[in-house]
Amino acid sequence: MKTINNKNKNGLVNVFKEGSLFNRLSFLIMGLGNICYGQIIKGIMFLAVEVMYILYMIRSGVNNLAGLTTLGTKQQGMVIDETQGIYVMEAGDNSMLILLWGVVTIVVSAVFLLGWYLSVRSGYEAYKTVKSGKKPANFFAEIKSLANQNIHIAFLTVPLLGILIFTVTPLIYMILMAFTNYDANHQPPGNLFDWVGLANFKALASSTGALAATFWPILAWTLIWGFVATFSCYFLGIFLAILINSKGIRFKKFWRTIFVLTMAIPAFISLLVIRTMVGENGILNVLLQQWGFTAQPLPFLTNGTWAKISVIVINLWIGIPATMLMTTGILMNIPAELYESAQIDGAGKVKTFIYITFPYMIFVTTPYLITQLIANFNNFGVIFFLTEGAPLSLNYYKGAGKTDLLVTWLYKLTTTNKDYNLAATIGIVIFVISAVFSLISYSRSGAVKNEEGFS
Amino acid sequence: MKQTNTHLLIKYRMPALLFTLLCVVSIILPYASVGENSIRIFTLFSLNDFAKTMAGLYIAGVICSLVIKVLVMVRPIKSIARMALVLDVISAGSYSVLLFGSKSILDKAGIFDAGFMVKDFGIGYWLGLVMAYVALTFTMKLCKISTGYIVLTWLSIIWLFPILWIVLTSLRAESGYYVGYFIPRGFTLDNYKALFSKTSVIPFGKWWFNTFIVAICSCIISSMIVLMTSYVLSRVRFSWRGSLMRVMLIIGMFPGFMSMIAVYNILKGAGLSQSLGALIVVNVAGAAMGYYICKGFLDTIPRSLDEAAIIDGATRFQIFTRVTIPLSKPIIIYTVLTSFIGPWGDYIFPSMLLGDKQNSYTVAIGLKWMTDFRRINNYYTQFAAGAVLVSIPIVILFVALQRFYVEGLSGAVKG
Amino acid sequence: MKRRLLALALSATMLAMVGCGEAESNGAAEADKATEAASTEEVETRDITLKVWTPEEDMGITEQMCQAFDDAHDEYNITYDISVTGIDESAEALTTDADAAADVFLIPSGSISELNDAGLLLPIAYDLDNVKSLYGAGAIEACTRDDMLYGIPSTPNSFFMYYNKDLYTEDEVKSLDTMMAKDLGADVANFSFTIHNSWYIESFFYAAGCTLFGEDGTDATDCTWNTENGLAAGNYLLDLLANPKYVEDQDGLAGNLMKEGKLAALCSGTWASPDCKEALGDSYAAAPLPTITLNGKECQLRNFADYKCYAVKSNTAEPLAAQQLAEFFANEENQILHYENNGQTPTCLSLQDNEAIKSDPATVALIQQTEYAVPQPSISQIANYWTPAEALGTGMVNGEVTKDNLQESLDTMVESVLSELAAE
């Protein structure tokens, strides 16, 4: 496919230099270019966008942006209502909402800027078309193009708007929170919070204090958990898939269904159930004692080391079937000739696996492995529903426990401790770790490189 | 490979015989001992019926198996070998049962004053157990039956154990969280009835229905979004495509609930807070970021089909509806299935978003509510019943559509 | 005649909108009017909406009380919006969205500090002197911050001991050591407690004479749990845990054991009284927490004094009516209603001589225990107490805190309790 637009020739500077007077004016009055060169409806729509944006900015946008600089100045107070003899609240500024609406205004402005850029360019295109003696595309033709060469605009607008509003906006909000003192002592609406620069990052990075004593061990456990959970499920899942798919096994669908059952049950239910089962007085401990395997109940989730092993093992129960199902399909795709030639060479099962199945598998599933790894770093569900981070540790900053991952700790910081600023800071750290991992692997993975192969 | 007849791998008959012989030898070795006190397996015969049956099955199993295997040495016939196989399964099975049952048998009979523990099993038992399995393995090889069955059977038991537990609990007549037994003493459907009764604190029917609505709406809309996004990313080359894919990959990595309060306030600003609509909007809004698997699948559909359609004068939209969609059944089903399941298990966000609006709660909130430490003792059986009710529709869908799920996923990952 | 639209969002069964009913009342309300100071003359009736949060077990009586409040106040024509939100959930829900929150709700007095710091509570001022005179000083104290009253105490929120009077005599339950020493048979455990809960564990340290945030609970730099006294209390707890006749309560385990007759005594609050009554039948009895022997001295177990109280959110549209309703919920008449409904111990001074209440073992035990109790510290530093204390208790229960590292653990715990909040 040819790219539709030729970038260099359409730069804004170029438009200003080469374009007509109307094009230049359209830098100020959006859509003027289009209106003058025959694309009246399109031009009016651009103009309408501009008018709406200006109205928005006058009504609230400017205020929102101004609020960002101070995050509010007027504290909420109580005043006595003389006539009734009671206190009534005198509303103050809510720093949290000021921050949020400020971010929303920034996003709206960014979207508007994009529209402005497009309008200027579109006016220039129309001008060029007219200059070359043709008629610019009319409105209906442009609408039609949405079903064809411009289908990406038609198809992506709604999904991207969704992401912009419900992911990107909150994301910016969260990032900004890391630079404030929005903690337990500065809770809106009663109190204001303010910008503090990099203080939170410094507190986290400093090698002393309970905060650092919590952060590093939790980070280490998050990494260990991520790798162990991912690879254990991966290899055992492959093993199970190979087992079920091996020649001698009959009723393959039956066996597969047994394991698929665990996938079909919503994870939080199975996790809550298993949590009750492995409790100090849960059925597993009861049975182990009745069977004579142990005299005392085993501290599956109450002892730090036990709990770490337990969550990894329990995660297998959930994770193996998923890998099994995925690899089942891939195993069937491995060219049969490979196996046949291996058999002729007299290779045994183990050798076949090491030299044929495994390399193929790794090659094909690297992207999956990476997504899994990231997902496990952020595996909120398993830890939250199984242990809630417990057992707590005396050495950790309030509330953090020995099985807490960075994400679950972050959740605790917001819900129980109300230290939103710290949580946001940690959120950024998690993000940086995940982004580095995935960007490296994303650009290296065979699947991405080969994408064009099908084109 | 040389020594084959049509039905048996006779090179294995010797080891199968030898290990069964070891089983027979193990019978006379000590079965269990606590301190000075030691017993043989024959002691089990004098205890209760269950012990008698299990011990009897084992002893008879290994001895008969030995005899038959000697016969196989002489005449390698499939039907005879199969008999040995059945006997080996019986002996391995009965000894496995005794691994779990010995304590209750021996303690009830008061054989050992100090009580019996698994570690007190003697050499006779362990040798017998291990050899029974080894012999079974060789007999299976002899009969050309995959030994994978042994592993699969054990794994299935482990995997089904929690599921069985929850189903049994949901049918248990005695309430309470802690019970010292696996099989309920009484069976009842009251736990299910209680969930739907008028006097129940939990309007489970209403919540189930809410979840269902949310699941249906989210799965339809987000499947459309995912499909459209993936199609564009897979088929259309536009200037900002690469950066868009990378950006979506990255922002998908932020821990979502960090910004929950922001999402809540945005929804509130839009007048949507505390409603099922809000839940659907949120479920759907981020759907496009899950384009990865679906795009991988679409990449595998040959481009030549598109090109042929273009030559025939089809627009891209027509290609999408008439060529791509019909060819993407597995991945569509995969996407629908995953997005349908989501709302059933989603707890954190709904519980915050819906606040005190109990009549728009979803099942996840209700079930979590029941497992609160102050309530779990009273509600555990009802919780189990609720869990079963939530799982049933998904299990049915999953089992029925498993094939497509596998095809969609594997097609996509193959990318 | 008043015309009302009662929007009862959820009934006790919470199924759906119960419906919009037109309730009429004239005669009775007319008669009550005279007693209401505000309504002796002809008053203008105002249409207002009040939202109320109530725990599920109070749903029925909350509707009843709301109705009665409306009947008593001719100046309002109230549309109620009542929904179920547990006492422990209201604080969280209020923080999330104060606009959508209820005007009147029930919270533990311990959470007043946190909510007040966030500016979410309205100080009670209507009829203040009268209100203060209705309840005990301790209860009022617990709901007061900086000389402002933020909640109307409804019931003591505290725990005491239930026991089987066939197994223990009234004298024996006075001392934990006597109780533990008694042989009740092989299958029966003697005593159960919740050491891993930071709301329970403090009773042993208070018994030993340790302080948390100073004598009066306002000194953010004081916590003496790591002193010699604290060490003694810690050792006592470790010995208790090592005793096979002790059961650590978890997820309702103790209640279950009691039902099966395998436990002689457990510690819990009035909320457990229906279950305990059912479990013990005729042998049901209650007592204040026992004493323990530390360094040869008898020390009474002393827990936190906390109250469940009705509070009003700061941004309510109807500050006056909401306060009146909160006060109404906790008045003498409605405390009797609460008591009859689920045995909730009243806080009204005037009810202490009520015959029915005086003869209820749980209530008597709770009132006695309240006398031993220590006011739960109200400074915001208390937020730093909960998890380190829980971590200490958990560590003791699962064997990570032992006699060897007890001193060290207590030091760490005190350090975290006293630590400054991060990133100031």
Side-chain angles (χ1 to χ4, degrees):
Chain A
M1 284 299 298
K2 253 192 319 184
T3 44
I4 294 157
N5 298 308
N6 196 332
K7 283 182 212 159
N8 296 334
K9 288 205 176 151
N10 285 313
L12 287 182
V13 179
N14 198 45
V15 173
F16 200 79
K17 270 196 235 152
E18 310 275 321
S20 70
L21 174 68
F22 294 119
N23 285 139
R24 281 173 209 166
L25 276 178
S26 75
F27 276 82
L28 284 179
I29 304 165
M30 277 167 65
L32 196 62
N34 298 82
I35 294 174
C36 292
Y37 299 109
Q39 294 179 317
I40 294 176
I41 302 180
K42 195 175 178 186
I44 289 175
M45 280 168 73
F46 276 130
L47 193 62
V49 169
E50 183 174 10
V51 170
M52 268 156 49
Y53 176 73
I54 290 172
L55 282 179
Y56 166 76
M57 285 309 277
I58 291 172
R59 279 191 57 195
S60 57
V62 175
N63 273 339
N64 290 346
L65 287 181
L68 270 187
T69 55
T70 58
L71 293 180
T73 47
K74 186 180 164 220
Q75 192 153 352
Q76 171 185 306
M78 290 291 164
V79 288
I80 295 182
D81 179 339
E82 296 290 350
T83 54
Q84 293 178 305
I86 55 166
Y87 289 98
V88 288
M89 188 194 74
E90 198 179 42
D93 292 332
N94 186 327
S95 303
M96 185 195 73
L97 291 180
I98 289 176
L99 180 60
L100 179 61
W101 295 124
V103 170
V104 169
T105 308
I106 291 178
V107 171
V108 168
S109 302
V111 172
F112 170 75
L113 271 182
L114 180 72
W116 173 78
Y117 170 74
L118 289 177
S119 82
V120 170
R121 240 180 46 183
S122 158
Y124 181 60
E125 302 256 327
Y127 162 72
K128 278 201 300 188
T129 321
V130 169
K131 212 166 68 167
S132 65
K134 283 181 239 154
K135 239 182 112 143
N138 72 23
F139 187 66
F140 298 101
E142 296 220 26
I143 292 283
K144 265 191 186 165
S145 80
L146 286 180
N148 205 4
Q149 69 268 30
N150 282 332
I151 196 166
H152 59 285
I153 294 172
F155 271 17
L156 288 181
T157 305
V158 173
L160 290 188
L161 268 182
I163 294 179
L164 195 67
I165 298 171
F166 291 104
T167 309
V168 174
T169 310
L171 195 72
I172 301 175
Y173 167 78
M174 188 202 92
I175 294 175
L176 289 180
M177 225 151 57
F179 302 95
T180 68
N181 58 356
Y182 184 8
D183 58 22
N185 290 348
H186 299 85
Q187 287 290 305
N191 298 290
L192 301 168
F193 60 79
D194 205 354
W195 300 109
V196 293
L198 293 170
N200 299 313
F201 290 90
K202 283 179 192 152
L204 202 61
S206 71
S207 54
T208 54
L211 202 55
T214 315
F215 177 72
W216 296 111
I218 290 190
L219 177 65
W221 161 238
T222 305
L223 292 175
I224 294 173
W225 152 264
F227 281 101
V228 175
T230 308
F231 287 99
S232 58
C233 287
Y234 181 70
F235 286 112
L236 293 172
I238 291 180
F239 168 75
L240 184 63
I242 292 177
L243 193 63
I244 293 180
N245 279 353
S246 61
K247 254 191 244 153
I249 301 286
R250 293 175 66 194
F251 312 114
K252 290 188 165 54
K253 196 168 175 202
F254 164 78
W255 294 110
R256 221 172 278 145
T257 304
I258 288 181
F259 295 98
V260 165
L261 278 183
T262 64
M263 271 181 86
I265 299 172
F268 92 98
I269 291 185
S270 30
L271 290 170
L272 284 176
V273 169
I274 294 181
R275 176 192 186 156
T276 56
M277 291 177 76
V278 299
E280 185 127 335
N281 302 285
I283 188 68
L284 190 61
N285 264 320
V286 166
L287 288 180
L288 285 179
Q289 287 171 70
Q290 277 180 6
W291 292 336
F293 282 84
T294 168
Q296 295 297 316
L298 300 173
F300 288 113
L301 295 177
T302 43
N303 172 295
T305 319
W306 276 83
K308 284 180 183 179
I309 296 170
S310 298
V311 291
I312 287 174
V313 171
I314 294 169
N315 185 56
L316 288 178
W317 189 84
I318 293 170
I320 288 181
T323 322
M324 184 271 290
L325 214 48
M326 183 201 68
T327 35
T328 298
I330 301 172
L331 282 176
M332 295 177 192
N333 289 337
I334 301 180
E337 309 94 67
L338 286 177
Y339 285 118
E340 278 159 22
S341 55
Q343 211 165 17
I344 291 165
D345 295 344
K349 274 183 191 169
V350 178
K351 273 198 172 169
T352 326
F353 177 78
I354 294 176
Y355 292 110
I356 299 176
T357 316
F358 186 62
Y360 187 89
M361 211 57 121
I362 283 282
F363 173 75
V364 169
T365 56
T366 313
Y368 169 83
L369 259 180
I370 288 146
T371 6
Q372 279 307 102
L373 194 62
I374 308 280
N376 273 326
F377 286 147
N378 290 320
N379 201 332
F380 180 78
V382 169
I383 302 295
F384 181 76
F385 288 114
L386 271 184
T387 66
E388 294 183 26
L392 295 177
S393 165
L394 267 174
N395 300 319
Y396 285 179
Y397 184 67
K398 44 180 177 166
K402 287 180 190 155
T403 55
D404 259 325
L405 302 177
L406 283 175
V407 263
T408 52
W409 184 35
L410 175 154
Y411 178 75
K412 281 183 181 173
L413 281 175
T414 59
T415 52
T416 44
N417 297 346
K418 311 271 180 222
D419 290 332
Y420 285 90
N421 54 346
L422 278 182
T425 316
I426 294 163
I428 292 175
V429 172
I430 299 177
F431 165 73
V432 170
I433 296 174
S434 327
V436 167
F437 265 104
S438 51
L439 277 186
I440 293 175
S441 49
Y442 181 79
S443 51
R444 287 191 174 188
S445 84
V448 175
K449 280 186 191 155
N450 291 344
E451 180 194 49
E452 298 296 327
F454 291 96
S455 309
Chain B
M1 290 277 156
K2 279 177 239 158
Q3 268 190 314
T4 48
N5 73 6
T6 39
H7 300 295
L8 298 177
L9 274 170
I10 51 175
K11 68 170 173 178
Y12 290 118
R13 48 184 185 171
M14 198 58 202
L17 176 71
L18 278 178
F19 287 111
T20 308
L21 186 65
L22 281 173
C23 285
V24 177
V25 171
S26 79
I27 295 174
I28 52 167
L29 294 172
Y31 178 78
S33 60
V34 179
E36 299 290 292
N37 202 348
S38 157
I39 57 165
R40 299 268 185 275
I41 189 169
F42 308 108
T43 317
L44 292 188
F45 284 102
S46 61
L47 303 178
N48 59 28
D49 283 347
F50 178 70
K52 206 182 288 175
T53 321
M54 285 302 149
L57 278 177
Y58 180 73
I59 293 171
V62 289
I63 292 176
C64 296
S65 176
L66 187 71
V67 173
I68 289 173
K69 281 172 185 170
V70 173
L71 209 63
V72 174
M73 292 299 285
V74 187
R75 293 201 50 191
I77 295 174
K78 186 187 166 196
S79 55
I80 301 180
R82 283 273 162 111
M83 274 168 65
L85 179 70
V86 172
L87 289 166
D88 280 0
V89 170
I90 290 174
S91 43
S94 57
Y95 242 29
S96 303
V97 170
L98 280 176
L99 177 63
F100 302 108
S102 287
K103 181 175 168 68
S104 72
I105 294 170
L106 296 174
D107 283 0
K108 220 177 272 170
I111 298 287
F112 300 114
D113 294 335
F116 172 83
M117 298 297 287
V118 166
K119 64 175 166 46
D120 300 326
F121 275 122
I123 180 76
Y125 176 79
W126 290 121
L127 185 73
L129 182 71
V130 173
M131 289 310 140
Y133 274 96
V134 176
L136 173 62
T137 311
F138 281 107
T139 319
M140 287 176 93
K141 286 189 172 180
L142 173 70
C143 295
K144 285 190 170 176
I145 288 173
S146 171
T147 49
Y149 286 118
I150 304 177
V151 183
L152 280 178
T153 309
W154 275 108
L155 285 180
S156 301
I157 291 172
I158 295 173
W159 252 260
L160 290 178
F161 182 75
I163 297 175
L164 192 63
W165 166 248
I166 203 70
V167 172
L168 286 176
T169 306
S170 75
L171 296 170
R172 194 169 74 201
E174 321 85 77
S175 72
Y177 169 28
Y178 293 114
V179 287
Y181 43 87
F182 191 72
I183 310 280
R185 301 221 164 108
F187 286 90
T188 175
L189 284 175
D190 285 351
N191 297 317
Y192 290 91
K193 285 184 201 144
L195 284 176
F196 294 98
S197 82
K198 286 243 163 65
T199 53
S200 163
V201 194
I202 306 140
F204 193 78
K206 169 89 183 146
W207 291 357
W208 197 94
F209 190 68
N210 285 342
T211 320
F212 187 71
I213 297 278
V214 173
I216 290 280
C217 294
S218 328
C219 90
I220 291 172
I221 304 174
S222 46
S223 301
M224 275 167 56
I225 287 184
V226 169
L227 212 61
M228 284 174 4
T229 312
S230 315
Y231 173 77
V232 168
L233 292 178
S234 165
R235 286 303 196 268
V236 187
R237 294 289 179 269
F238 46 96
S239 55
W240 36 286
R241 176 176 165 276
S243 26
L244 177 69
M245 277 163 58
R246 224 156 293 150
V247 167
M248 290 215 282
L249 188 80
I250 293 176
I251 57 178
M253 269 170 233
F254 262 99
F257 48 81
M258 230 1 278
S259 48
M260 268 190 333
I261 187 77
V263 174
Y264 181 92
N265 279 300
I266 291 171
L267 286 167
K268 193 173 152 191
L272 269 176
S273 66
Q274 304 206 332
S275 67
L276 291 181
L279 210 52
I280 296 171
V281 167
V282 174
N283 282 337
V284 163
M289 285 183 293
Y291 72 89
Y292 199 81
I293 302 251
C294 186
K295 173 184 168 291
F297 185 91
L298 296 186
D299 282 343
T300 64
I301 299 176
R303 288 199 149 233
S304 50
L305 290 178
D306 291 32
E307 277 148 23
I310 289 176
I311 291 167
D312 289 346
T315 64
R316 287 200 165 272
F317 184 73
Q318 285 165 330
I319 299 175
F320 176 64
T321 51
R322 301 203 189 137
V323 180
T324 313
I325 289 189
L327 286 174
S328 315
K329 199 171 160 196
I331 198 69
I332 292 174
I333 290 176
Y334 170 85
T335 316
V336 167
L337 207 52
T338 40
S339 50
F340 182 80
I341 293 171
W344 296 92
D346 201 7
Y347 165 73
I348 303 287
F349 196 77
S351 71
M352 184 218 191
L353 185 70
L354 298 172
D356 60 345
K357 283 275 178 299
Q358 267 100 354
N359 51 12
S360 12
Y361 274 6
T362 59
V363 281
I365 308 176
L367 291 176
K368 183 78 170 62
W369 184 87
M370 286 193 263
T371 53
D372 182 273
F373 73 97
R374 265 162 301 154
R375 308 191 180 98
I376 190 165
N377 201 32
N378 293 329
Y379 286 101
Y380 193 56
T381 50
Q382 283 188 38
F383 161 77
V388 171
L389 289 179
V390 168
S391 307
I392 283 176
I394 306 175
V395 169
I396 292 173
L397 275 180
F398 230 99
V399 171
L401 302 175
Q402 203 192 112
R403 185 167 64 88
F404 299 105
Y405 192 92
V406 172
E407 280 173 21
L409 198 59
S410 59
V413 179
K414 198 175 65 199
Chain C
M1 193 171 85
K2 281 199 287 182
R3 192 165 171 280
R4 264 177 305 184
L5 275 175
L6 273 180
L8 301 175
L10 293 151
S11 68
T13 61
M14 300 191 340
L15 239 173
M17 299 291 275
V18 165
C20 298
E22 256 180 62
E24 292 178 20
S25 62
N26 33 30
E30 224 65 48
D32 281 355
K33 243 178 164 182
T35 59
E36 274 300 310
S39 51
T40 41
E41 317 140 32
E42 196 58 29
V43 283
E44 212 176 315
T45 303
R46 226 153 39 84
D47 286 335
I48 61 171
T49 304
L50 285 178
K51 188 169 177 182
V52 178
W53 279 340
T54 172
E56 78 247 24
E57 66 270 16
D58 288 351
M59 191 69 205
I61 58 168
T62 304
E63 280 169 8
Q64 210 178 319
M65 292 189 297
C66 285
Q67 176 94 28
F69 179 77
D70 202 3
D71 290 343
H73 288 265
D74 267 358
E75 69 272 34
Y76 306 127
N77 179 11
I78 308 175
T79 309
Y80 287 109
D81 177 357
I82 306 174
S83 64
V84 170
T85 299
I87 180 161
D88 50 338
E89 294 157 343
S90 348
E92 181 77 45
L94 180 63
T95 318
T96 304
D97 187 358
D99 292 332
D103 297 290
V104 182
F105 44 85
L106 201 58
I107 49 171
S109 60
S111 67
I112 288 180
S113 293
E114 184 197 328
L115 292 174
N116 185 41
D117 284 349
L120 293 166
L121 296 180
L122 188 74
I124 306 289
Y126 174 77
D127 205 13
L128 186 61
D129 295 332
N130 182 34
V131 168
K132 281 186 172 170
S133 69
L134 290 177
Y135 309 97
I140 290 293
E141 178 69 20
C143 299
T144 303
R145 299 288 181 278
D146 303 328
D147 293 331
M148 303 254 227
L149 186 69
Y150 286 98
I152 319 288
S154 166
T155 181
N157 189 26
S158 204
F159 60 93
F160 49 94
M161 186 167 69
Y162 292 99
Y163 67 98
N164 184 331
K165 66 181 171 196
D166 293 346
L167 298 173
Y168 288 128
T169 65
E170 242 173 83
D171 271 343
E172 283 167 343
V173 296
K174 288 197 173 125
S175 156
L176 184 54
D177 300 271
T178 322
M179 287 170 69
M180 293 308 292
K182 190 168 182 182
D183 184 11
L184 301 172
D187 272 351
V188 185
N190 291 34
F191 180 69
S192 161
F193 197 74
T194 320
I195 293 174
H196 72 275
N197 187 325
S198 45
W199 200 59
Y200 284 76
I201 191 175
E202 85 286 351
S203 42
F204 284 82
F205 287 90
Y206 275 139
C210 299
T211 55
L212 178 63
F213 305 132
E215 290 294 337
D216 55 356
T218 55
D219 180 1
T221 61
D222 173 85
C223 174
T224 60
W225 286 29
N226 56 346
T227 56
E228 215 164 289
N229 287 337
L231 202 63
N235 277 320
Y236 191 94
L237 284 170
L238 288 172
D239 287 337
L240 192 61
L241 279 164
N243 190 326
K245 291 292 176 186
Y246 167 82
V247 173
E248 175 71 9
D249 190 7
Q250 206 169 28
D251 298 332
L253 174 68
N256 250 20
L257 288 175
M258 195 162 242
K259 214 183 279 176
E260 293 168 25
K262 290 181 184 165
L263 179 67
L266 62 81
C267 298
S268 190
T270 41
W271 57 88
S273 75
D275 283 345
C276 288
K277 237 177 242 176
E278 190 197 322
L280 293 173
D282 287 341
S283 33
Y284 167 78
L289 297 178
T291 60
I292 55 174
T293 314
L294 289 176
N295 303 325
K297 257 194 332 200
E298 287 277 295
C299 306
Q300 172 64 42
L301 290 180
R302 306 166 71 204
N303 50 7
F304 285 143
D306 186 62
Y307 292 83
K308 290 183 182 173
C309 60
Y310 285 102
V312 177
K313 70 169 175 179
S314 59
N315 61 343
T316 172
E318 298 292 338
L320 183 61
Q323 282 179 53
Q324 288 171 332
L325 183 61
E327 290 171 11
F328 182 79
F329 280 156
N331 71 14
E332 185 182 328
E333 207 175 316
N334 287 321
Q335 291 205 342
I336 296 178
L337 195 65
H338 266 114
Y339 172 74
E340 285 163 355
N341 180 49
N342 54 8
Q344 184 176 305
T345 307
T347 48
C348 275
L349 291 170
S350 56
L351 288 174
Q352 291 197 345
D353 293 325
N354 182 304
E355 281 311 316
I357 294 169
K358 255 166 86 182
S359 60
D360 183 322
T363 309
V364 173
L366 178 55
I367 290 174
Q368 281 175 15
Q369 181 61 40
T370 328
E371 278 163 28
Y372 300 128
V374 181
Q376 181 174 317
S378 58
I379 53 171
S380 53
Q381 189 80 15
I382 185 81
N384 265 11
Y385 160 77
W386 303 111
T387 42
E390 189 182 339
L392 176 72
T394 316
M396 286 180 166
V397 172
N398 59 34
E400 279 161 22
V401 174
T402 59
K403 293 201 171 185
D404 294 333
N405 63 16
L406 181 59
Q407 182 67 52
E408 206 179 305
S409 307
L410 288 171
D411 289 342
T412 322
M413 186 245 160
V414 167
E415 195 183 316
S416 351
V417 170
L418 298 180
S419 71
E420 292 283 316
L421 297 170
E424 279 300 321

